[in-house]
Amino acid sequence: MIPIAHVAPANTAGTVQFQDGITDLGGPVAVIAGAAVGPVSILTRGSHSLSAVFTPTNPAKFESSTSNTVTFRF
């Protein structure tokens, strides 16, 4: 699995931390041109709750945010 998060506006600077529940998937990745591509992750069989947490480089200009959680099982 390769997680991808889109951040708006496209000139937003910061990082995205992908998570499965409360477990980080790799380390934070940079937002480039409005997108953050996470690390390749091998997920085990069972339930997963994936989300992305955005942290701006300049919190005075942009706000932190967390994506909706996508829950699935395989």
Side-chain angles (χ1 to χ4, degrees):
M1 174 200 74
I2 300 174
I4 299 172
H6 295 278
V7 179
N11 68 340
T12 303
T15 60
V16 170
Q17 176 63 63
F18 293 95
Q19 296 179 320
D20 183 2
I22 60 170
T23 302
D24 290 343
L25 299 175
V29 294
V31 174
I32 300 171
V37 179
V40 173
S41 299
I42 305 298
L43 300 176
T44 59
R45 294 178 81 182
S47 295
H48 297 276
S49 297
L50 302 180
S51 62
V53 179
F54 169 70
T55 303
T57 301
N58 182 351
K61 188 172 180 181
F62 299 105
E63 292 184 24
S64 298
S65 64
T66 301
S67 70
N68 293 330
T69 300
V70 176
T71 303
F72 63 94
R73 181 177 180 83
F74 63 83

